Amino acid sequence: MAQPVEGFSKRSKDEKIRWLAENYTDYPEETQRLLKQYWNSDAQLQQLHDEFIENTISNFYLPLGVAPNFLINGKLYAIPMAIEESSVVAAASKAAKYWGCRGGFHAEILGTEKIGQVHFQYHGPKKGLQSFIEAITPQLLQDAEPITRNMEKRGGGVTGIELRDRTDGLDGYYQLHCRFETRDAMGANFINSCLEQFATTLLREAGNHPDLGGEAQPIEVLMSILSNYTPGCLVRAEVRCRVEELEAESGMEGAEIASRLVRAVQVADCEPYRAVTHNKGIMNGIDAVVIATGNDFRAVEAGVHAYAARSGSYRSLTGAECTDGMFRFWIELPLALGTVGGLTQLHPLVKLGLNILGNPGAPELMQIVAVAGLAQNFAAVRSLVTTGIQRGHMKMHLLNILNQLGATEAEKTAVVDYFRTHTVSHSEVVARLNALRQMP
Ligand code: MEV
């Protein structure tokens, strides 16, 4: 049985790998070879990746694809997507092409506000606390000035500090609820640094303050941290066309497809079991672009799902309607993204991804990402209400199955060719490959 290890982070990469392979794997030699096989031959590039995190032992590849032909607000984009799921890039490309000749995607920013909070405890008189916070607000801002100076030069900064009484939920619990504008930065470091400075000033100013009930230190700060719930950092994207412009599919006219699409979105809006899968399909597109552009997909996921549940029940992030002969399909969601700072200038493929997109600022990237989510949802729901999802899905999964079965290049070509006109299933692929192998 493996023993706890001391000082692991201080060991060399080789030592870490050997220790891991010998203590935790069934095939130590092969493990070491495999991990090193994924190292980059350019030592400098590898070192860059090693230093992103602690205890790096290798690299974990995800395919980087590109979905071309996205017409967004009249500008044509090729969107980089990092994702392992076979059908996602294909579906995005298909939706881009579909809407490219129907006016493209229309996107707009509804807000760019970020939130951070200093959570603290206080049991003195409430009235005194409110006047105390109002009195020290200029000091809070002044003490944070060394942190905010550069951001202010770029048009950002702290846009509000407000005392919130949350004693309804928890005895003695208050917060400084702070608003920020972070321009092209996602802003996590900026916000957290400001908040920690606010906490320091708050404690200093509270000591022996006459309005706060006479205690030497009436306030206890619990923590200072940004919120990943960003309903004020919001983007909307839409596609629209006349119903008769929608393509027929699987024997269904455009009008029938439109009404089935609207119904499917209504189902997701009122049924959480469906809404979660519906929104997961949206996140297929969103996360892929968020990762390819070096943004924090966990932050985006957390914020988006909280937004989907803002009414008290978990609902669809997209909407659809058919009125006066017009079909409209839209998405509205919070996206706290950055195009400067973090990994954006550090990871060579992220830098390239942003370059492919024309080096957008954060608001433009928010629009592109929202469009990727909308396109993905349109493609998925359209398939679901017409052909069903498995036809396209399995077609894209075919190469994965063939690779699993160890097919040669010649076998892959022959089997892919066969399934152009046949329905893919795992057992059918096995049967076809076996038949091929038995041929003289
Ligand atoms: C699969 O990754 C995503 C879908 O399930 C989305 C949906 O059902 O809308 C196809």
Side-chain angles (χ1 to χ4, degrees):
M1 209 171 85
Q3 297 299 309
V5 58
E6 287 289 326
F8 186 69
S9 67
K10 308 247 166 12
R11 294 190 186 180
S12 73
K13 194 155 77 162
D14 272 316
E15 285 168 346
K16 286 174 190 163
I17 290 177
R18 201 171 324 115
W19 176 85
L20 185 73
E22 285 168 3
N23 286 286
Y24 280 95
T25 70
D26 296 333
Y27 36 88
E29 288 305 317
E30 169 64 5
T31 299
Q32 296 186 54
R33 195 197 57 72
L34 184 67
L35 288 171
K36 291 178 185 181
Q37 191 187 347
Y38 279 83
W39 288 2
N40 200 289
S41 56
D42 177 339
Q44 224 180 334
L45 188 62
Q46 185 54 54
Q47 193 184 343
L48 180 76
H49 285 76
D50 287 353
E51 290 174 2
F52 285 153
I53 61 167
E54 189 165 276
N55 297 341
T56 305
I57 49 174
S58 191
N59 306 304
F60 191 92
Y61 291 177
L62 273 185
L64 176 66
V66 66
N69 301 322
F70 268 95
L71 186 64
I72 306 174
N73 294 342
K75 184 171 164 187
L76 207 52
Y77 294 87
I79 301 187
M81 303 178 89
I83 185 143
E84 87 301 344
E85 191 173 324
S86 337
S87 53
V88 170
V89 178
S93 307
K94 204 169 154 192
K97 196 165 165 205
Y98 189 99
W99 286 105
C101 54
R102 290 171 177 80
F105 295 81
H106 312 274
E108 61 177 322
I109 297 294
L110 304 178
T112 55
E113 180 184 85
K114 314 262 169 65
I115 300 294
Q117 298 162 318
V118 178
H119 305 268
F120 65 92
Q121 268 145 255
Y122 168 74
H123 296 279
K126 287 186 182 184
K127 207 159 151 253
L129 183 62
Q130 180 63 43
S131 57
F132 164 71
I133 296 296
E134 279 167 25
I136 68 159
T137 295
Q139 193 63 52
L140 290 168
L141 294 170
Q142 192 184 320
D143 289 355
E145 206 267 339
I147 305 165
T148 56
R149 195 179 302 139
N150 278 339
M151 185 59 86
E152 279 168 10
K153 276 190 205 142
R154 290 188 267 139
V158 184
T159 55
I161 301 178
E162 164 195 332
L163 173 69
R164 287 205 171 170
D165 178 346
R166 298 305 316 274
T167 52
D168 53 335
L170 190 61
D171 183 36
Y173 169 37
Y174 295 84
Q175 48 178 253
L176 287 184
H177 187 87
C178 309
R179 300 169 199 281
F180 300 86
E181 168 56 55
T182 61
R183 306 298 288 182
D184 289 332
M186 190 263 192
N189 282 331
F190 169 71
I191 294 173
N192 290 335
S193 300
C194 287
L195 293 169
E196 289 190 1
Q197 179 57 55
F198 293 163
T200 305
T201 305
L202 179 69
L203 286 176
R204 187 190 70 222
E205 297 294 319
N208 291 315
H209 197 282
D211 290 354
L212 300 181
E215 275 185 50
Q217 185 43 272
I219 282 177
E220 188 185 333
V221 170
L222 185 66
M223 57 189 168
S224 309
I225 188 75
L226 93 167
S227 172
N228 290 122
Y229 185 43
T230 56
C233 188
L234 207 60
V235 54
R236 188 181 195 282
E238 180 178 300
V239 284
R240 48 181 178 257
C241 70
R242 297 213 58 77
V243 167
E244 61 270 18
E245 286 178 68
L246 290 168
E247 235 168 64
E249 165 89 55
S250 304
M252 286 181 212
E253 285 303 315
E256 187 181 356
I257 294 177
S259 97
R260 288 171 69 81
L261 275 164
V262 170
R263 192 80 183 151
V265 173
Q266 287 168 345
V267 167
D269 215 35
C270 75
E271 167 51 56
Y273 279 94
R274 173 57 200 150
V276 171
T277 316
H278 180 93
N279 290 347
K280 185 273 180 187
I282 293 170
M283 299 316 286
N284 279 343
I286 303 257
D287 284 342
V289 191
V290 167
I291 293 171
T293 56
N295 276 281
D296 181 343
F297 62 93
R298 289 87 54 209
V300 167
E301 284 275 351
V304 164
H305 294 299
Y307 190 72
R310 69 194 181 285
S311 66
S313 50
Y314 188 90
R315 302 171 75 155
S316 167
L317 291 162
T318 51
E321 66 176 23
C322 264
T323 35
D324 302 329
M326 281 298 279
F327 171 73
R328 285 176 203 278
F329 194 72
W330 67 87
I331 189 166
E332 189 188 285
L333 79 174
L335 288 172
L337 302 177
T339 56
V340 296
L343 271 197
T344 55
Q345 299 309 309
L346 215 52
H347 193 304
L349 286 176
V350 165
K351 209 167 153 186
L352 175 66
L354 288 167
N355 192 242
I356 291 169
L357 292 173
N359 298 319
E364 189 179 350
L365 183 61
M366 285 167 71
Q367 297 179 57
I368 295 167
V369 171
V371 162
L374 181 66
Q376 207 64 44
N377 186 234
F378 177 78
V381 178
R382 186 167 179 271
S383 292
L384 284 168
V385 300
T386 54
T387 57
I389 206 73
Q390 280 309 84
R391 198 163 90 181
H393 208 80
M394 290 307 285
K395 207 153 228 171
M396 292 309 301
H397 193 51
L398 177 57
L399 280 180
N400 287 345
I401 302 175
L402 286 168
N403 283 333
Q404 246 173 40
L405 299 172
T408 64
E409 285 309 307
E411 286 170 343
K412 282 185 205 170
T413 309
V415 176
V416 168
D417 200 43
Y418 173 82
F419 281 106
R420 280 187 216 290
T421 49
H422 293 79
T423 304
V424 181
S425 71
H426 195 276
S427 56
E428 283 301 314
V429 177
V430 173
R432 189 66 202 162
L433 192 62
N434 285 341
L436 200 67
R437 285 176 174 170
Q438 272 149 32
M439 277 181 195

